[in-house]
């Protein structure tokens, strides 16, 4: 039996306290979405059910993003509000444990404890398998804990095995971390070195998801096409090999992956886009800039022409490939001519979708120390011009779908009664009138209208 002097952690972890609630708010990229789901699964055996109501939560987890200043600062304004709620709950005799996870946790660690009095636990992305134990310690030792070491063991194999399927689509993290060190980016510091999960483990996780009703998985990694997990033969497997393996999973109907780096877009992976019917014709391939001088200063290790050639090769293999990208404007020393080169590339590529950002100097990154940081006004003007062009490009891509019949995987109810929403192979949202019974199924939809952000159409007999 456990004594007070030597608390039996295992017993406490396995003894659920019924009726407890956890509130999780997720910032940043899809990998955080995946991690948040895994954290929910990790605390579920302790008796925590998820809630969307902050005031009801005994455990609050903010899963944070450090990529741009705005994202990181948002966390502190949320923590201000959470402190109020915690105080109100305390007056009502209820405890609230506040946890900051994710990339701000990793980057700022102790500083969060200093700045935000409400926080009990700060936990970096590589330690989520230790969440139950750390929550226990924070509570039993009544102290605030910061856990941001990069542990030896990998969290994935130690997180609970049960995967809860929440919809017909699911994320599956296959690779984490980054060794590329683009000069503007915090990811190599917050997520650590590149690590890939073994093929067998991923196939097993995909099978579980499919058994629970998932029909589409999106393979995630900060550098997903650099994937090199152990294959069945014990040798490193490529992303293309993993995709071929996953294609064999019965009832898994669609496979996507994100985010890719142009440097790791191998011929093998391009061939998979030609040969694997389950691999969707959509590729998120960040280019960041159209200027070779800026690309070099960013340490991207590719030129604008490399990118053009690569896209040419991809479209030869898969002519209907929808291309998406990320672009940064206002990187240090970016001139009007550099920016024009970005606009020219965008005009040429016909992006189906894109994310564009004002450069945000991040602590500890080389670009933050570069001379010639640009004024906010220049960044804003450039961003507005770029976004106008990207919006046109997206609208053109969407309009090009009118009259076509596209297979749509229906995922959820729409805003209007009787309406469902799904996605085309090109990741476009598609609205159609349909029975709820078609949720989780792929049906042909004849596209009759296209807006800037979605399509709508009519279901045709299969
Ligand atoms: N691993 C991916 C992207 C990770 S971050 C890749 O290599 O492309 C997502 C996007 O955020 C990046 O593609 C970049 O466009 C943007 N981003 C990253 N750091 C930024 C910064 N300091 N300021 C503005 N945008 C940034
Ligand atoms: Fe960041 Fe570059 Fe790595 Fe992408 S490839 S995560 S932008 S350092
Ligand atoms: Fe943000 Fe970390 Fe993802 S910085 S974009 S949450 S890897």
């Amino acid at each position: 039996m456990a004594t007070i002097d030597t608390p039996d952690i295992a017993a406490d972890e396995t003894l659920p306290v019924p009726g407890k609630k956890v509130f999780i708010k997720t910032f940043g990229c899809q990998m955080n979405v995946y991690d948040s789901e895994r954290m929910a699964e990790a605390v579920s055996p302790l008796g925590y059910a998820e809630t969307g109501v902050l005031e009801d939560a005994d455990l609050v987890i903010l899963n944070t993003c450090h990529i741009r200043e705005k994202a990181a600062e948002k966390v502190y304004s949320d923590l201000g509000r959470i402190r109020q709620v915690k105080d109100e709950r305390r007056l009502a005799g209820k405890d609230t444990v506040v946890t900051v996870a994710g990339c701000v946790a990793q980057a700022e660690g102790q500083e969060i404890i200093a700045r935000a009095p409400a926080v009990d636990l700060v936990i970096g992305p590589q330690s989520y398998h230790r969440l139950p134990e750390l929550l226990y310690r924070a509570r039993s030792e009544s102290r605030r804990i910061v856990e941001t070491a990069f542990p030896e063991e990998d969290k994935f194999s130690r997180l609970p095995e049960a995967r809860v399927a929440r919809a017909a689509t699911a994320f599956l993290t296959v690779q984490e971390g980054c060794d590329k060190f683009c000069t503007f980016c915090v990811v190599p510091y917050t997520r650590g070195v590149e690590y890939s999960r073994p093929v067998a483990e991923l196939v097993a996780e995909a099978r579980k998801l499919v058994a629970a009703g998932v029909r589409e998985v999106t393979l995630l990694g900060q550098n997903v096409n650099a994937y090199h997990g152990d294959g069945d033969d014990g040798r490193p497997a490529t992303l293309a090999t993993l995709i071929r393996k996953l294609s064999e999973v019965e009832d898994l109907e669609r496979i996507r992956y994100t985010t890719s780096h142009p440097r790791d877009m191998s011929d093998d992976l391009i061939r998979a886009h030609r040969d694997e019917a389950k691999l969707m014709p959509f590729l998120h391939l960040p280019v960041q800039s159209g200027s070779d001088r800026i690309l070099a200063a960013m340490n991207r290790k590719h030129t604008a022409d490399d990118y053009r050639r690569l896209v040419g090769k991809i479209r030869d293999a898969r002519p209907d490939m929808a291309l998406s990208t990320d672009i940064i404007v206002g990187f240090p020393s970016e001139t009007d001519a550099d920016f024009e080169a970005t606009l020219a590339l965008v005009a040429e590529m016909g992006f189906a979708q894109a994310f564009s950002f004002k450069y945000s100097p991040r602590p500890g990154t080389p670009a933050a120390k570069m001379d010639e940081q640009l004024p906010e006004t220049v960044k804003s003007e450039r961003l507005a011009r770029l976004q106008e062009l990207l919006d046109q490009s997206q609208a053109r891509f969407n309009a090009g779908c009118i009259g076509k019949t596209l297979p749509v995987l229906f995922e959820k109810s729409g805003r209007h009664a009787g309406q469902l929403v799904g996605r085309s192979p090109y990741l476009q949202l598609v609205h159609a009138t349909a029975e709820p019974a078609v949720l989780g199924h792929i049906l042909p939809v004849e596209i009759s209208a296209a807006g800037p952000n979605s399509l709508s159409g009519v279901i045709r007999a299969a």
Side-chain angles (χ1 to χ4, degrees), residues 2-3 6-18 20 42-48 131-140:
T3 67
T6 53
D8 185 347
I9 291 172
D12 186 85
E13 276 171 49
T14 49
L15 273 184
V17 189
K20 296 249 177 206
V43 298
S44 156
L46 308 184
Y48 289 105
L131 188 57
E133 171 210 332
L134 294 171
L135 285 173
Y136 173 81
R137 279 181 37 205
R139 223 178 23 183
S140 65

Side-chain angles (χ1 to χ4, degrees), residues 263-333:
R263 298 248 313 166
D264 296 313
M265 207 61 217
S266 69
D267 289 347
D268 192 25
L269 185 54
I270 295 173
R271 268 196 303 276
H273 274 287
R274 185 194 60 196
D275 300 337
E276 294 301 325
K278 292 182 179 182
L279 185 56
M280 290 295 102
F282 178 92
L283 179 63
H284 184 61
L285 194 64
V287 67
Q288 313 297 0
S289 170
S291 154
D292 289 346
R293 196 180 64 80
I294 295 297
L295 285 168
M298 288 175 162
N299 192 31
R300 287 292 290 183
K301 300 202 172 83
H302 61 79
T303 63
D305 276 347
D306 291 336
Y307 190 86
R308 288 184 177 91
R309 271 191 295 273
L310 182 57
V311 168
K313 218 153 86 173
I314 293 164
R315 286 187 166 145
D316 283 346
R318 184 76 208 219
D320 66 336
M321 182 70 88
L323 198 65
S324 160
T325 203
D326 290 343
I327 295 173
I328 295 176
V329 300
F331 186 83
S333 86

Side-chain angles (χ1 to χ4, degrees), residues 27-32 64-67 102-103 186-187 190-191 222:
F27 303 80
C29 62
Q30 295 105 320
M31 304 195 64
N32 267 9
T64 61
C65 173
H66 201 243
I67 202 82
C103 290
V186 293
V187 170
T190 61
R191 294 276 172 165
Q222 270 92 16

Side-chain angles (χ1 to χ4, degrees), residues 178-182 184-188 222-223 261 288 300:
C178 180
D179 299 339
K180 297 267 189 314
F181 291 94
C182 300
F184 51 81
C185 183
V186 293
V187 170
Q222 270 92 16
N223 241 281
H261 193 289
Q288 313 297 0
R300 287 292 290 183

Side-chain angles (χ1 to χ4, degrees), residues 182-210:
C182 300
T183 54
F184 51 81
C185 183
V186 293
V187 170
Y189 312 97
T190 61
R191 294 276 172 165
V193 294
E194 240 175 66
Y195 167 77
S196 297
R197 300 174 64 190
V199 170
E201 186 180 308
L202 294 166
V203 171
E205 192 168 325
R207 282 191 197 284
K208 277 198 190 118
L209 288 167
V210 170

